[in-house]
Amino acid sequence: MTAVAQTHPRHELDDLLLHPVRFSVVAALARAGTLGFREVRDAVEVSDSVLSKQMSSLEDAGYVTVGKGFVGKTPRTSLTLTARGRAVWAAHLDALRRIADASPPD
């Protein structure tokens, strides 16, 4: 059996970013750098629990860092896209563009 070369750009898509909520979170952070938990939640239109779960997946992969702090006595959580997250995001978008721009086979 011979191995088939994987040249289609879909093989370069990041599996973690195929999930629409994670994709949307990283997109928001790529534009803004750092956002508060509530800002991200509202921007991607999900519940606190959904964002928390997806945020944990992104943090475990090293794509985002999660900061905890206080504003007065109110706890605040912030999300920041890491350098690794930015690189993965750029590669993922590049693969999507190449898929979208590909000429149909003859």
Side-chain angles (χ1 to χ4, degrees):
M1 179 188 263
T2 60
V4 176
Q6 295 184 340
T7 59
H8 192 279
R10 78 174 178 280
H11 299 291
E12 298 170 35
L13 293 172
D14 185 270
D15 288 340
L16 202 59
L17 297 181
L18 293 176
H19 188 282
V21 173
R22 290 189 295 258
F23 182 93
S24 298
V25 168
V26 172
L29 293 174
R31 289 188 300 273
T34 298
L35 291 171
F37 183 92
R38 286 191 271 178
E39 292 173 297
V40 175
R41 179 200 62 203
D42 294 347
V44 301
E45 300 176 351
V46 294
S47 67
D48 288 358
S49 62
V50 168
L51 178 56
S52 183
K53 180 179 178 184
Q54 301 310 325
M55 186 175 73
S56 292
S57 295
L58 292 168
E59 183 180 31
D60 290 346
Y63 296 1
V64 300
T65 57
V66 178
K68 302 279 186 174
F70 286 86
V71 175
K73 293 184 179 184
T74 306
R76 299 291 174 160
T77 301
S78 62
L79 287 81
T80 303
L81 194 60
T82 64
R84 179 170 187 228
R86 285 195 181 283
V88 169
W89 175 247
H92 190 81
L93 285 182
D94 180 60
L96 286 172
R97 286 185 187 105
R98 286 185 287 128
I99 291 167
D101 293 341
S103 299
D106 293 332

